[in-house]
Amino acid sequence: MNKIIEKKQLNATNILFRVEAPEIAKKARAGQFIILRIREKGERIPLTIADWDKDSITLVFQPVGKTTNELAELKVNDKILDLMGPLGTPSHIEKFGTVVMIGGGLGIAPCYPIAKAMKQAGNKVICIFGARNKELFFWQDKFKKVSDEIILCTDDGSLGIKGFTTDGLKQLMQKGKIDRIVAIGPTIMMKFITLTAGDIPVVVSLNPIMVDGMGMCGGCRVLIDGEVKFACVDGPEFIGQKVDWDSLLNRVKTYEEEEHKCKINLQ
Ligand code: NAD
Ligand code: FES
């Protein structure tokens, strides 16, 4: 059982939980995730570790279905049944030169530990964040401490560049050399960032349907360079230029009908 020690509504759609988890916090590295359950026979939710300190880890999520809505009901001092992790291969951190971190919506949160580690490794870190409108950005002060520049893009033009993160990237590519891109957000965004980047290596964090998170169920399989890989153990990070985006986009849509029914039942 893991106690929730802080709960914050970051904006209209995203919630932050800081959860007591000293064993996970001790081992956590940038890019890793946990799987949580709130009930014995309940759904397993994979969430990237967005930050940690000595005794706790920070999780940021969006209530979108039955379990994430139940999770959102929990309060400070309530306990999560179990957290499994840290899972997945940590991010590849080294001094690349100029690293561009791209976060779309909720995907902004998991960019934080990677940006921090890239900065500590001596890189110039530029962040491009995208959201539907200006109210949906969060953690700008936190990111200022670990990056050299932040470029904001909004779908509705209420702040920064009017357009998607791909528009921010196109403008930045005209200004100077980029050595590496890390993109986290909607699958479609990660696909189009990869297409926009040309031959600049793009690291994407994939979150297809996960079940056991331990490489045994095959639920999270993705095609990388024509080979089957499991996002939970071989990833979650892969080089975008090697991902078979069409098969991944089909897989993430597998339960679209059930998800739609689930959302209707929640209304
Ligand atoms: P959203 O749909 O509001 O999109 C956020 C931003 O992503 C947009 O403002 C835009 O800048 C960019 N974007 C969206 N579609 C794009 C496209 N076709 N081309 C270029 N850029 C595009 O996002 P949301 O509702 O906050 O949802 C966040 C998504 O991020 C969810 O799908 C979630 O699964 C995913 N996510 C992934 C990870 C991960 O580890 N891969 C972690 C957290 C969240
Ligand atoms: Fe089961 Fe990855 S979640 S193999």
Side-chain angles (χ1 to χ4, degrees):
M1 299 276 255
N2 299 79
K3 189 160 83 172
I4 297 166
I5 49 182
E6 184 185 349
K7 178 180 182 182
K8 202 188 272 178
Q9 185 81 40
L10 288 177
N11 53 36
T13 54
N14 300 325
I15 295 174
L16 174 152
F17 274 171
R18 198 155 61 82
V19 183
E20 226 169 53
E23 292 307 316
I24 298 177
K26 215 184 288 169
K27 296 186 200 134
R29 307 226 336 248
Q32 290 188 298
F33 67 97
I34 54 95
I35 291 192
L36 68 78
R37 287 189 311 169
I38 52 177
R39 241 176 301 102
E40 182 81 35
K41 293 195 175 158
E43 196 184 352
R44 300 155 73 92
I45 309 284
L47 292 173
T48 311
I49 306 172
D51 200 4
W52 61 90
D53 59 19
K54 196 169 144 284
D55 297 314
S56 67
I57 59 167
T58 299
L59 305 170
V60 179
F61 67 99
Q62 206 173 79
V64 283
K66 189 170 187 295
T67 310
T68 43
N69 270 288
E70 284 175 12
L71 185 65
E73 295 288 307
L74 298 180
K75 301 180 289 298
V76 170
N77 291 330
D78 283 346
K79 287 184 175 157
I80 291 173
L81 177 66
D82 50 44
L83 291 180
M84 180 172 69
L87 300 169
T89 308
S91 301
H92 176 175
I93 306 291
E94 65 171 68
K95 188 169 177 185
F96 294 104
T98 299
V99 174
V100 178
M101 298 294 314
I102 304 186
L106 177 63
I108 293 172
C111 284
Y112 177 73
I114 306 172
K116 187 175 168 186
M118 287 291 191
K119 187 77 194 148
Q120 279 167 356
N123 292 289
K124 177 176 181 188
V125 175
I126 303 176
C127 298
I128 301 178
F129 295 142
R132 273 166 275 143
N133 62 59
K134 65 175 182 185
E135 315 296 338
L136 296 174
F137 290 115
F138 54 91
W139 281 6
Q140 299 306 295
D141 287 348
K142 212 169 151 79
F143 274 102
K144 271 185 199 149
K145 293 182 189 142
V146 298
S147 55
D148 297 273
E149 187 183 346
I150 300 179
I151 298 166
L152 301 178
C153 309
T154 48
D155 300 7
D156 68 355
S158 53
L159 188 64
I161 297 169
K162 183 177 188 318
F164 287 162
T165 48
T166 35
D167 297 299
L169 177 61
K170 279 178 204 157
Q171 292 191 15
L172 192 64
M173 284 168 71
Q174 284 167 3
K175 289 189 192 157
K177 185 171 169 281
I178 298 171
D179 298 290
R180 199 169 180 90
I181 295 171
V182 180
I184 311 181
T187 308
I188 192 75
M189 177 198 96
M190 297 190 281
K191 172 183 173 173
F192 282 106
I193 289 291
T194 303
L195 296 179
T196 304
D199 55 11
I200 306 168
V202 180
V203 175
V204 294
S205 175
L206 304 185
N207 58 347
I209 302 130
M210 288 200 196
V211 185
D212 69 327
M214 298 171 81
M216 289 190 285
C217 71
C220 67
R221 64 189 177 275
V222 287
L223 270 179
I224 307 293
D225 243 355
E227 254 186 76
V228 173
K229 298 278 178 193
F230 294 153
C232 67
V233 288
D234 301 313
E237 292 184 357
F238 295 99
I239 296 295
Q241 281 88 349
K242 296 185 176 179
V243 175
D244 182 330
W245 291 104
D246 293 338
S247 70
L248 178 63
L249 283 160
N250 274 333
R251 276 187 64 70
V252 293
K253 277 194 253 159
T254 307
Y255 296 109
E256 217 169 46
E257 196 183 325
E258 286 81 356
E259 282 169 6
H260 180 64
K261 282 185 196 149
C262 176
K263 280 181 195 158
I264 292 173
N265 289 337
L266 287 167
Q267 284 167 6

